[in-house]
Amino acid sequence: QVQLVESGGGLVRPGGSLRLSCAASGGTLTWHTLAWFRQAPGKERAFVAAISWNGHTVEYTDPVKGRFTISRNNIKNTIDLQMNSLSPEDTALYYCAARKGLPARLEYEYNYWGQGTQVAVSE
């Protein structure tokens, strides 16, 4: 059973940066896509970014393109999300997720989830 644990959330001012990390344990992630989703207050959980097993396929939701970068380390079984130029609209609980196969954007397509790490962007 794969377990995912996120870290790196916090409070940051608009225009600032944060780097989220997710550590996976308890199972092999071979052929697994790793992804980030987020849930803003009062909204449904939404796709942010995903990266395939070999890193060759990367997808981002439009609002974060050019600002966020997803990366993974298959030796350490970790993924990171570098977030730059943050705005209050990025405030959300950020979740790490995993699925076997190519990147997908729908929540139900992911089998494993972390507990989330909170990101707040405010003056």
Side-chain angles (χ1 to χ4, degrees), residues 16-58:
S17 299
L18 276 177
R19 189 176 184 88
L20 306 183
S21 294
C22 174
S25 62
T28 179
L29 289 178
T30 304
W31 310 121
H32 280 70
T33 281
L34 295 174
W36 290 96
F37 284 71
R38 65 185 180 185
Q39 187 168 20
K43 295 186 178 181
E44 296 185 350
R45 191 156 52 183
F47 172 79
V48 176
I51 185 168
S52 62
W53 160 249
N54 58 11
H56 290 177
T57 302
V58 178

mmCIF file of all heavy atoms in Angstrom, residues 16-58:
data_model
loop_
_atom_site.group_PDB
_atom_site.id
_atom_site.type_symbol
_atom_site.label_atom_id
_atom_site.label_comp_id
_atom_site.label_asym_id
_atom_site.label_seq_id
_atom_site.Cartn_x
_atom_site.Cartn_y
_atom_site.Cartn_z
ATOM 1 N N GLY A 16 5.401 35.713 -3.799
ATOM 2 C CA GLY A 16 6.420 34.869 -3.204
ATOM 3 C C GLY A 16 6.446 33.462 -3.787
ATOM 4 O O GLY A 16 5.694 33.141 -4.717
ATOM 5 N N SER A 17 7.297 32.628 -3.207
ATOM 6 C CA SER A 17 7.486 31.261 -3.692
ATOM 7 C C SER A 17 7.422 30.268 -2.545
ATOM 8 O O SER A 17 7.739 30.615 -1.395
ATOM 9 C CB SER A 17 8.849 31.121 -4.386
ATOM 10 O OG SER A 17 8.950 31.972 -5.502
ATOM 11 N N LEU A 18 7.014 29.062 -2.879
ATOM 12 C CA LEU A 18 7.043 27.934 -1.957
ATOM 13 C C LEU A 18 7.411 26.687 -2.745
ATOM 14 O O LEU A 18 7.109 26.598 -3.946
ATOM 15 C CB LEU A 18 5.682 27.708 -1.292
ATOM 16 C CG LEU A 18 5.301 28.515 -0.064
ATOM 17 C CD1 LEU A 18 3.883 28.167 0.373
ATOM 18 C CD2 LEU A 18 6.277 28.293 1.081
ATOM 19 N N ARG A 19 7.999 25.742 -2.050
ATOM 20 C CA ARG A 19 8.310 24.452 -2.669
ATOM 21 C C ARG A 19 7.663 23.355 -1.838
ATOM 22 O O ARG A 19 8.004 23.168 -0.669
ATOM 23 C CB ARG A 19 9.816 24.231 -2.760
ATOM 24 C CG ARG A 19 10.201 23.010 -3.592
ATOM 25 C CD ARG A 19 11.716 22.912 -3.726
ATOM 26 N NE ARG A 19 12.133 21.814 -4.589
ATOM 27 C CZ ARG A 19 12.283 21.919 -5.899
ATOM 28 N NH1 ARG A 19 12.061 23.083 -6.509
ATOM 29 N NH2 ARG A 19 12.674 20.868 -6.619
ATOM 30 N N LEU A 20 6.729 22.648 -2.444
ATOM 31 C CA LEU A 20 6.078 21.522 -1.786
ATOM 32 C C LEU A 20 6.804 20.232 -2.142
ATOM 33 O O LEU A 20 7.316 20.089 -3.255
ATOM 34 C CB LEU A 20 4.620 21.414 -2.217
ATOM 35 C CG LEU A 20 3.745 22.651 -2.048
ATOM 36 C CD1 LEU A 20 2.316 22.340 -2.469
ATOM 37 C CD2 LEU A 20 3.794 23.157 -0.627
ATOM 38 N N SER A 21 6.814 19.307 -1.194
ATOM 39 C CA SER A 21 7.400 17.999 -1.432
ATOM 40 C C SER A 21 6.424 16.917 -1.021
ATOM 41 O O SER A 21 5.575 17.126 -0.140
ATOM 42 C CB SER A 21 8.702 17.845 -0.644
ATOM 43 O OG SER A 21 9.693 18.723 -1.113
ATOM 44 N N CYS A 22 6.558 15.766 -1.662
ATOM 45 C CA CYS A 22 5.731 14.614 -1.327
ATOM 46 C C CYS A 22 6.629 13.390 -1.321
ATOM 47 O O CYS A 22 7.316 13.113 -2.310
ATOM 48 C CB CYS A 22 4.607 14.455 -2.333
ATOM 49 S SG CYS A 22 3.610 12.963 -2.107
ATOM 50 N N ALA A 23 6.623 12.673 -0.199
ATOM 51 C CA ALA A 23 7.421 11.458 -0.065
ATOM 52 C C ALA A 23 6.510 10.239 -0.113
ATOM 53 O O ALA A 23 5.488 10.201 0.583
ATOM 54 C CB ALA A 23 8.200 11.489 1.239
ATOM 55 N N ALA A 24 6.893 9.285 -0.926
ATOM 56 C CA ALA A 24 6.111 8.057 -1.071
ATOM 57 C C ALA A 24 6.814 6.894 -0.401
ATOM 58 O O ALA A 24 8.047 6.785 -0.453
ATOM 59 C CB ALA A 24 5.894 7.755 -2.545
ATOM 60 N N SER A 25 6.035 6.023 0.218
ATOM 61 C CA SER A 25 6.600 4.845 0.863
ATOM 62 C C SER A 25 5.582 3.715 0.856
ATOM 63 O O SER A 25 4.410 3.936 0.541
ATOM 64 C CB SER A 25 7.000 5.167 2.306
ATOM 65 O OG SER A 25 5.860 5.555 3.053
ATOM 66 N N GLY A 26 6.053 2.527 1.183
ATOM 67 C CA GLY A 26 5.152 1.404 1.373
ATOM 68 C C GLY A 26 4.845 0.603 0.125
ATOM 69 O O GLY A 26 4.061 -0.348 0.192
ATOM 70 N N GLY A 27 5.396 0.981 -1.006
ATOM 71 C CA GLY A 27 5.104 0.238 -2.219
ATOM 72 C C GLY A 27 5.902 0.783 -3.378
ATOM 73 O O GLY A 27 6.467 1.873 -3.287
ATOM 74 N N THR A 28 5.928 0.050 -4.461
ATOM 75 C CA THR A 28 6.668 0.500 -5.625
ATOM 76 C C THR A 28 5.864 1.507 -6.428
ATOM 77 O O THR A 28 4.638 1.403 -6.530
ATOM 78 C CB THR A 28 7.049 -0.695 -6.521
ATOM 79 O OG1 THR A 28 7.761 -0.183 -7.649
ATOM 80 C CG2 THR A 28 5.807 -1.443 -6.996
ATOM 81 N N LEU A 29 6.561 2.477 -6.964
ATOM 82 C CA LEU A 29 5.916 3.487 -7.805
ATOM 83 C C LEU A 29 6.299 3.327 -9.264
ATOM 84 O O LEU A 29 6.115 4.250 -10.056
ATOM 85 C CB LEU A 29 6.282 4.882 -7.322
ATOM 86 C CG LEU A 29 5.647 5.304 -6.000
ATOM 87 C CD1 LEU A 29 6.112 6.677 -5.584
ATOM 88 C CD2 LEU A 29 4.119 5.279 -6.096
ATOM 89 N N THR A 30 6.803 2.141 -9.596
ATOM 90 C CA THR A 30 7.141 1.879 -10.981
ATOM 91 C C THR A 30 5.906 2.054 -11.851
ATOM 92 O O THR A 30 4.832 1.560 -11.525
ATOM 93 C CB THR A 30 7.681 0.445 -11.130
ATOM 94 O OG1 THR A 30 8.790 0.290 -10.242
ATOM 95 C CG2 THR A 30 8.132 0.199 -12.555
ATOM 96 N N TRP A 31 6.069 2.786 -12.931
ATOM 97 C CA TRP A 31 5.004 3.068 -13.913
ATOM 98 C C TRP A 31 3.887 3.959 -13.353
ATOM 99 O O TRP A 31 2.854 4.115 -13.969
ATOM 100 C CB TRP A 31 4.380 1.796 -14.469
ATOM 101 C CG TRP A 31 5.391 0.813 -14.967
ATOM 102 C CD1 TRP A 31 5.572 -0.461 -14.538
ATOM 103 C CD2 TRP A 31 6.377 1.021 -15.984
ATOM 104 N NE1 TRP A 31 6.605 -1.061 -15.214
ATOM 105 C CE2 TRP A 31 7.135 -0.168 -16.108
ATOM 106 C CE3 TRP A 31 6.723 2.116 -16.788
ATOM 107 C CZ2 TRP A 31 8.172 -0.311 -16.994
ATOM 108 C CZ3 TRP A 31 7.776 1.982 -17.691
ATOM 109 C CH2 TRP A 31 8.481 0.773 -17.783
ATOM 110 N N HIS A 32 4.110 4.565 -12.198
ATOM 111 C CA HIS A 32 3.095 5.428 -11.610
ATOM 112 C C HIS A 32 3.304 6.890 -11.962
ATOM 113 O O HIS A 32 4.421 7.407 -11.889
ATOM 114 C CB HIS A 32 3.093 5.305 -10.085
ATOM 115 C CG HIS A 32 2.373 4.096 -9.582
ATOM 116 N ND1 HIS A 32 2.852 2.822 -9.740
ATOM 117 C CD2 HIS A 32 1.192 3.981 -8.913
ATOM 118 C CE1 HIS A 32 2.006 1.966 -9.202
ATOM 119 N NE2 HIS A 32 0.988 2.640 -8.685
ATOM 120 N N THR A 33 2.225 7.516 -12.338
ATOM 121 C CA THR A 33 2.207 8.974 -12.440
ATOM 122 C C THR A 33 2.036 9.555 -11.044
ATOM 123 O O THR A 33 1.272 9.018 -10.222
ATOM 124 C CB THR A 33 1.033 9.423 -13.317
ATOM 125 O OG1 THR A 33 1.384 9.257 -14.696
ATOM 126 C CG2 THR A 33 0.668 10.885 -13.096
ATOM 127 N N LEU A 34 2.718 10.650 -10.768
ATOM 128 C CA LEU A 34 2.545 11.388 -9.518
ATOM 129 C C LEU A 34 1.994 12.769 -9.844
ATOM 130 O O LEU A 34 2.382 13.366 -10.861
ATOM 131 C CB LEU A 34 3.868 11.500 -8.771
ATOM 132 C CG LEU A 34 4.446 10.165 -8.278
ATOM 133 C CD1 LEU A 34 5.830 10.375 -7.677
ATOM 134 C CD2 LEU A 34 3.522 9.522 -7.256
ATOM 135 N N ALA A 35 1.104 13.238 -9.005
ATOM 136 C CA ALA A 35 0.411 14.488 -9.317
ATOM 137 C C ALA A 35 0.152 15.321 -8.080
ATOM 138 O O ALA A 35 0.238 14.840 -6.948
ATOM 139 C CB ALA A 35 -0.921 14.169 -10.002
ATOM 140 N N TRP A 36 -0.179 16.576 -8.336
ATOM 141 C CA TRP A 36 -0.632 17.498 -7.298
ATOM 142 C C TRP A 36 -2.035 17.980 -7.650
ATOM 143 O O TRP A 36 -2.311 18.333 -8.798
ATOM 144 C CB TRP A 36 0.295 18.707 -7.188
ATOM 145 C CG TRP A 36 1.632 18.392 -6.612
ATOM 146 C CD1 TRP A 36 2.781 18.118 -7.299
ATOM 147 C CD2 TRP A 36 1.975 18.315 -5.222
ATOM 148 N NE1 TRP A 36 3.803 17.867 -6.423
ATOM 149 C CE2 TRP A 36 3.339 17.995 -5.139
ATOM 150 C CE3 TRP A 36 1.263 18.499 -4.040
ATOM 151 C CZ2 TRP A 36 4.007 17.850 -3.920
ATOM 152 C CZ3 TRP A 36 1.915 18.360 -2.834
ATOM 153 C CH2 TRP A 36 3.284 18.030 -2.780
ATOM 154 N N PHE A 37 -2.879 17.969 -6.643
ATOM 155 C CA PHE A 37 -4.207 18.558 -6.728
ATOM 156 C C PHE A 37 -4.311 19.602 -5.628
ATOM 157 O O PHE A 37 -3.499 19.617 -4.702
ATOM 158 C CB PHE A 37 -5.298 17.495 -6.505
ATOM 159 C CG PHE A 37 -5.525 16.588 -7.681
ATOM 160 C CD1 PHE A 37 -4.589 15.627 -8.039
ATOM 161 C CD2 PHE A 37 -6.695 16.684 -8.429
ATOM 162 C CE1 PHE A 37 -4.801 14.782 -9.121
ATOM 163 C CE2 PHE A 37 -6.920 15.843 -9.503
ATOM 164 C CZ PHE A 37 -5.968 14.898 -9.854
ATOM 165 N N ARG A 38 -5.320 20.449 -5.704
ATOM 166 C CA ARG A 38 -5.542 21.416 -4.637
ATOM 167 C C ARG A 38 -7.024 21.655 -4.434
ATOM 168 O O ARG A 38 -7.817 21.521 -5.360
ATOM 169 C CB ARG A 38 -4.828 22.738 -4.927
ATOM 170 C CG ARG A 38 -5.341 23.507 -6.137
ATOM 171 C CD ARG A 38 -4.460 24.736 -6.384
ATOM 172 N NE ARG A 38 -4.918 25.514 -7.540
ATOM 173 C CZ ARG A 38 -4.266 26.574 -8.021
ATOM 174 N NH1 ARG A 38 -3.146 26.999 -7.440
ATOM 175 N NH2 ARG A 38 -4.741 27.219 -9.066
ATOM 176 N N GLN A 39 -7.352 22.004 -3.209
ATOM 177 C CA GLN A 39 -8.735 22.309 -2.868
ATOM 178 C C GLN A 39 -8.787 23.640 -2.148
ATOM 179 O O GLN A 39 -8.298 23.759 -1.013
ATOM 180 C CB GLN A 39 -9.351 21.214 -2.002
ATOM 181 C CG GLN A 39 -10.833 21.413 -1.764
ATOM 182 C CD GLN A 39 -11.479 20.183 -1.168
ATOM 183 O OE1 GLN A 39 -10.815 19.313 -0.595
ATOM 184 N NE2 GLN A 39 -12.793 20.091 -1.294
ATOM 185 N N ALA A 40 -9.343 24.620 -2.819
ATOM 186 C CA ALA A 40 -9.489 25.941 -2.236
ATOM 187 C C ALA A 40 -10.733 25.968 -1.356
ATOM 188 O O ALA A 40 -11.644 25.152 -1.538
ATOM 189 C CB ALA A 40 -9.605 26.980 -3.348
ATOM 190 N N PRO A 41 -10.796 26.891 -0.416
ATOM 191 C CA PRO A 41 -11.970 26.977 0.461
ATOM 192 C C PRO A 41 -13.268 27.100 -0.328
ATOM 193 O O PRO A 41 -13.385 27.942 -1.215
ATOM 194 C CB PRO A 41 -11.694 28.243 1.274
ATOM 195 C CG PRO A 41 -10.210 28.389 1.272
ATOM 196 C CD PRO A 41 -9.764 27.888 -0.065
ATOM 197 N N GLY A 42 -14.209 26.239 -0.036
ATOM 198 C CA GLY A 42 -15.501 26.290 -0.690
ATOM 199 C C GLY A 42 -15.546 25.733 -2.087
ATOM 200 O O GLY A 42 -16.573 25.847 -2.769
ATOM 201 N N LYS A 43 -14.452 25.129 -2.529
ATOM 202 C CA LYS A 43 -14.400 24.598 -3.896
ATOM 203 C C LYS A 43 -14.046 23.119 -3.887
ATOM 204 O O LYS A 43 -13.571 22.579 -2.894
ATOM 205 C CB LYS A 43 -13.380 25.375 -4.729
ATOM 206 C CG LYS A 43 -13.754 26.833 -4.931
ATOM 207 C CD LYS A 43 -12.791 27.513 -5.877
ATOM 208 C CE LYS A 43 -13.188 28.965 -6.133
ATOM 209 N NZ LYS A 43 -12.246 29.631 -7.080
ATOM 210 N N GLU A 44 -14.253 22.473 -5.020
ATOM 211 C CA GLU A 44 -13.892 21.074 -5.149
ATOM 212 C C GLU A 44 -12.391 20.935 -5.396
ATOM 213 O O GLU A 44 -11.738 21.867 -5.858
ATOM 214 C CB GLU A 44 -14.675 20.438 -6.300
ATOM 215 C CG GLU A 44 -16.177 20.403 -6.064
ATOM 216 C CD GLU A 44 -16.912 19.658 -7.151
ATOM 217 O OE1 GLU A 44 -16.286 19.335 -8.181
ATOM 218 O OE2 GLU A 44 -18.115 19.401 -6.973
ATOM 219 N N ARG A 45 -11.902 19.749 -5.110
ATOM 220 C CA ARG A 45 -10.488 19.467 -5.360
ATOM 221 C C ARG A 45 -10.236 19.491 -6.867
ATOM 222 O O ARG A 45 -11.034 18.922 -7.636
ATOM 223 C CB ARG A 45 -10.107 18.134 -4.749
ATOM 224 C CG ARG A 45 -8.622 17.881 -4.725
ATOM 225 C CD ARG A 45 -8.231 16.887 -3.636
ATOM 226 N NE ARG A 45 -8.953 15.638 -3.640
ATOM 227 C CZ ARG A 45 -8.774 14.690 -2.729
ATOM 228 N NH1 ARG A 45 -7.914 14.861 -1.734
ATOM 229 N NH2 ARG A 45 -9.465 13.570 -2.809
ATOM 230 N N ALA A 46 -9.129 20.121 -7.269
ATOM 231 C CA ALA A 46 -8.851 20.318 -8.689
ATOM 232 C C ALA A 46 -7.414 19.954 -9.028
ATOM 233 O O ALA A 46 -6.506 20.110 -8.203
ATOM 234 C CB ALA A 46 -9.119 21.776 -9.075
ATOM 235 N N PHE A 47 -7.229 19.518 -10.246
ATOM 236 C CA PHE A 47 -5.917 19.134 -10.761
ATOM 237 C C PHE A 47 -4.998 20.342 -10.848
ATOM 238 O O PHE A 47 -5.422 21.434 -11.249
ATOM 239 C CB PHE A 47 -6.095 18.511 -12.145
ATOM 240 C CG PHE A 47 -4.820 18.242 -12.874
ATOM 241 C CD1 PHE A 47 -4.052 17.129 -12.561
ATOM 242 C CD2 PHE A 47 -4.374 19.105 -13.874
ATOM 243 C CE1 PHE A 47 -2.874 16.875 -13.237
ATOM 244 C CE2 PHE A 47 -3.199 18.863 -14.547
ATOM 245 C CZ PHE A 47 -2.447 17.741 -14.232
ATOM 246 N N VAL A 48 -3.718 20.131 -10.493
ATOM 247 C CA VAL A 48 -2.715 21.188 -10.621
ATOM 248 C C VAL A 48 -1.632 20.780 -11.621
ATOM 249 O O VAL A 48 -1.370 21.500 -12.580
ATOM 250 C CB VAL A 48 -2.061 21.497 -9.263
ATOM 251 C CG1 VAL A 48 -0.949 22.538 -9.427
ATOM 252 C CG2 VAL A 48 -3.101 21.985 -8.260
ATOM 253 N N ALA A 49 -1.000 19.642 -11.378
ATOM 254 C CA ALA A 49 0.106 19.209 -12.242
ATOM 255 C C ALA A 49 0.323 17.721 -12.061
ATOM 256 O O ALA A 49 -0.026 17.151 -11.023
ATOM 257 C CB ALA A 49 1.383 19.969 -11.890
ATOM 258 N N ALA A 50 0.916 17.102 -13.084
ATOM 259 C CA ALA A 50 1.224 15.675 -13.025
ATOM 260 C C ALA A 50 2.472 15.389 -13.833
ATOM 261 O O ALA A 50 2.771 16.083 -14.808
ATOM 262 C CB ALA A 50 0.057 14.844 -13.553
ATOM 263 N N ILE A 51 3.187 14.334 -13.426
ATOM 264 C CA ILE A 51 4.404 13.934 -14.112
ATOM 265 C C ILE A 51 4.424 12.418 -14.228
ATOM 266 O O ILE A 51 4.140 11.709 -13.267
ATOM 267 C CB ILE A 51 5.645 14.479 -13.383
ATOM 268 C CG1 ILE A 51 6.922 14.173 -14.163
ATOM 269 C CG2 ILE A 51 5.723 13.959 -11.954
ATOM 270 C CD1 ILE A 51 8.144 14.943 -13.644
ATOM 271 N N SER A 52 4.758 11.925 -15.406
ATOM 272 C CA SER A 52 4.777 10.493 -15.651
ATOM 273 C C SER A 52 5.977 9.830 -14.969
ATOM 274 O O SER A 52 6.886 10.509 -14.485
ATOM 275 C CB SER A 52 4.823 10.213 -17.157
ATOM 276 O OG SER A 52 6.009 10.757 -17.716
ATOM 277 N N TRP A 53 5.971 8.513 -14.965
ATOM 278 C CA TRP A 53 7.020 7.741 -14.319
ATOM 279 C C TRP A 53 8.419 8.158 -14.780
ATOM 280 O O TRP A 53 9.324 8.348 -13.966
ATOM 281 C CB TRP A 53 6.794 6.257 -14.583
ATOM 282 C CG TRP A 53 8.008 5.405 -14.390
ATOM 283 C CD1 TRP A 53 8.725 4.762 -15.349
ATOM 284 C CD2 TRP A 53 8.663 5.124 -13.154
ATOM 285 N NE1 TRP A 53 9.779 4.075 -14.797
ATOM 286 C CE2 TRP A 53 9.772 4.297 -13.445
ATOM 287 C CE3 TRP A 53 8.423 5.479 -11.826
ATOM 288 C CZ2 TRP A 53 10.623 3.821 -12.457
ATOM 289 C CZ3 TRP A 53 9.288 5.009 -10.845
ATOM 290 C CH2 TRP A 53 10.361 4.196 -11.162
ATOM 291 N N ASN A 54 8.582 8.299 -16.098
ATOM 292 C CA ASN A 54 9.911 8.620 -16.621
ATOM 293 C C ASN A 54 10.141 10.114 -16.769
ATOM 294 O O ASN A 54 11.197 10.538 -17.246
ATOM 295 C CB ASN A 54 10.134 7.928 -17.975
ATOM 296 C CG ASN A 54 9.090 8.311 -19.000
ATOM 297 O OD1 ASN A 54 8.315 9.246 -18.791
ATOM 298 N ND2 ASN A 54 9.054 7.591 -20.112
ATOM 299 N N GLY A 55 9.163 10.907 -16.385
ATOM 300 C CA GLY A 55 9.320 12.359 -16.460
ATOM 301 C C GLY A 55 9.126 12.942 -17.842
ATOM 302 O O GLY A 55 9.233 14.156 -18.021
ATOM 303 N N HIS A 56 8.817 12.098 -18.823
ATOM 304 C CA HIS A 56 8.711 12.578 -20.197
ATOM 305 C C HIS A 56 7.390 13.293 -20.460
ATOM 306 O O HIS A 56 7.295 14.089 -21.394
ATOM 307 C CB HIS A 56 8.878 11.420 -21.178
ATOM 308 C CG HIS A 56 10.273 10.887 -21.214
ATOM 309 N ND1 HIS A 56 10.639 9.801 -21.986
ATOM 310 C CD2 HIS A 56 11.398 11.286 -20.575
ATOM 311 C CE1 HIS A 56 11.934 9.568 -21.821
ATOM 312 N NE2 HIS A 56 12.412 10.443 -20.963
ATOM 313 N N THR A 57 6.381 12.988 -19.687
ATOM 314 C CA THR A 57 5.082 13.632 -19.862
ATOM 315 C C THR A 57 4.756 14.438 -18.622
ATOM 316 O O THR A 57 4.700 13.899 -17.515
ATOM 317 C CB THR A 57 3.973 12.595 -20.103
ATOM 318 O OG1 THR A 57 4.305 11.809 -21.252
ATOM 319 C CG2 THR A 57 2.636 13.291 -20.335
ATOM 320 N N VAL A 58 4.552 15.730 -18.813
ATOM 321 C CA VAL A 58 4.236 16.639 -17.724
ATOM 322 C C VAL A 58 3.025 17.461 -18.148
ATOM 323 O O VAL A 58 2.953 17.929 -19.284
ATOM 324 C CB VAL A 58 5.419 17.576 -17.413
ATOM 325 C CG1 VAL A 58 5.044 18.554 -16.316
ATOM 326 C CG2 VAL A 58 6.636 16.762 -16.990
#
